[in-house]
Amino acid sequence: MKKVIFMGTPDFAVPVLERILEDGYLVELVVTQPDRPKGRKKTMTPPSVKVAAEKNNIPVFQPEKIKDNFEPIQAIEPDLIVTAAFGQILPKELLDIPRYGCINVHASLLPELRGGAPIHYAILNGHQKTGITIMYMAEKLDAGDIISQSEVKITEQDDVGSLHDKLSVIGADLLSDTIPKIFNEQIEPIKQEEALATFAPNITREQEKIKWENSMQQIFDQIRGLHPWPVASTKWRGNNLKIYHATKSEKQTNQHPGEIVDITEDGIVVATGDSKGIIIKTLQPAGKKKMSAADFIRGVGNNLEVGEKLGE
């Protein structure tokens, strides 16, 4: 029986771990990030992968920095290490331990979108497709040789949440097909073309701010490319206004970018930089709960006016 160690942290990694177990492999250890405080009450919360591991009675190791502490992994002498959204770069000494190497399940079609937020950037950048890459890990971020890939189309109905869920299942399926080939030494890895590499670093606060002078399509992609986390935002009368969901309006408008063009039961229409509009459907004013645009309009009554500007 081959010995496997799994390394992962968020929800994305859970179906991958579960498929390894379903396929009958012996997972000797799960390595994940330490528990972190979450929410307003800062309650210490375990990573999703830890919860899944404990449910399956698998020992869990949670190093603060894997490069400084990987003795429990060495002690097991694994045949294969599988990672999926672990969140730390593995040192060469660790990469050299397993006989069959260390492989990573990455949520993009490498060499595109290397980094920690590939699902966000696939939508933010207006890509028509993305996918899963399984690769051998290297010391350089997401730069290892490609073992296998699976592609998926991105529709205009997709947001980060829906695409995340699709890719986590695709990743589990692709891994299930790939591991036997690795153990049977049937792999012919392909080197990544460095000239084609693009990057998907973690989202910044600045990227959450809607720039209304951008085109309708760019703003539409930004809103769904940040939903359900960390969420796009703008300003309304000096206060923060989160925008969770919006649709496109193809009607031409002469108003300045950011101006409210129309207020209807269908939503709040805001002008964009290419003389089109975005229809805000779901939002969250500062200090309030998330609500539909219709509830927001009813709540403020006549206090919301056509012609006033968002973003200021």
Side-chain angles (χ1 to χ4, degrees):
M1 178 72 74
K2 301 289 194 298
K3 293 184 290 186
V4 176
I5 288 178
F6 182 79
M7 305 175 70
T9 301
D11 291 346
F12 175 83
V14 172
V16 181
L17 170 60
E18 290 176 341
R19 182 60 61 85
I20 295 171
L21 296 171
E22 288 170 13
D23 287 350
Y25 297 107
L26 178 62
V27 179
E28 293 267 6
L29 181 70
V30 163
V31 185
T32 188
Q33 299 273 29
D35 296 5
R36 305 289 188 198
K38 282 192 177 180
R40 291 183 179 179
K41 295 183 178 179
K42 302 296 182 183
T43 305
M44 291 301 290
T45 306
S48 300
V49 164
K50 179 181 179 180
V51 175
E54 290 180 339
K55 194 180 295 182
N56 287 280
N57 299 312
I58 304 169
V60 176
F61 175 45
Q62 295 178 272
E64 191 67 45
K65 292 183 179 179
I66 190 71
K67 66 183 180 66
D68 296 333
N69 182 12
F70 52 87
E71 288 82 1
I73 297 171
Q74 286 176 306
I76 289 171
E77 298 181 344
D79 294 292
L80 180 70
I81 292 176
V82 180
T83 73
F86 173 56
Q88 297 185 39
I89 294 177
L90 308 191
K92 186 178 187 305
E93 295 89 341
L94 178 50
L95 296 176
D96 290 341
I97 291 172
R99 174 186 169 188
Y100 293 92
C102 297
I103 64 172
N104 181 46
V105 181
H106 183 76
S108 82
L109 296 173
L110 291 170
E112 288 188 343
L113 303 180
R114 296 176 179 175
I119 302 174
H120 291 81
Y121 280 87
I123 298 177
L124 288 170
N125 293 347
H127 291 191
Q128 301 300 305
K129 65 180 181 180
T130 187
I132 291 289
T133 300
I134 296 178
M135 62 172 180
Y136 284 113
M137 297 185 73
E139 289 182 88
K140 188 176 178 182
L141 179 65
D142 297 330
D145 293 352
I146 294 169
I147 301 170
S148 56
Q149 290 186 316
S150 183
E151 186 179 297
V152 64
K153 288 183 179 179
I154 301 174
T155 72
E156 291 220 325
Q157 287 70 48
D158 276 318
D159 57 25
V160 168
S162 66
L163 193 55
H164 167 282
D165 292 349
K166 288 180 189 178
L167 288 172
S168 64
V169 173
I170 291 169
D173 290 343
L174 185 61
L175 185 68
S176 182
D177 182 61
T178 301
I179 288 180
K181 295 175 183 176
I182 291 173
F183 286 149
N184 292 326
E185 300 182 351
Q186 297 171 332
I187 296 297
E188 295 182 7
I190 300 168
K191 288 196 175 299
Q192 294 189 40
E193 293 187 51
E194 286 295 321
L196 300 179
T198 60
F199 296 90
N202 291 336
I203 301 296
T204 65
R205 288 282 187 183
E206 189 62 29
Q207 287 174 290
E208 296 172 24
K209 298 175 184 176
I210 297 172
K211 294 179 174 61
W212 293 104
E213 63 270 20
N214 286 342
S215 70
M216 174 193 68
Q217 186 66 47
Q218 286 174 311
I219 295 170
F220 177 68
D221 291 343
Q222 180 185 13
I223 291 169
R224 64 198 187 99
L226 297 175
H227 178 268
W229 70 90
V231 187
S233 66
T234 188
K235 293 285 187 182
W236 177 59
R237 299 181 182 176
N239 294 313
N240 201 49
L241 185 69
K242 291 185 175 183
I243 310 297
Y244 283 84
H245 177 58
T247 56
K248 299 190 293 186
S249 172
E250 299 287 351
K251 291 182 181 178
Q252 292 295 116
T253 176
N254 295 320
Q255 276 89 337
H256 295 295
E259 281 189 21
I260 295 176
V261 175
D262 200 5
I263 302 167
T264 70
E265 291 183 0
D266 195 39
I268 302 165
V269 186
V270 183
T272 59
D274 56 352
S275 300
K276 295 178 182 177
I278 284 288
I279 307 170
I280 298 172
K281 297 285 204 174
T282 310
L283 47 75
Q284 184 177 12
K288 304 285 186 181
K289 292 182 179 180
K290 183 169 71 171
M291 64 184 74
S292 68
D295 285 344
F296 176 72
I297 292 164
R298 281 192 289 270
V300 297
N302 295 328
N303 201 24
L304 186 67
E305 298 175 357
V306 169
E308 66 175 306
K309 196 170 182 181
L310 300 182
E312 296 180 347

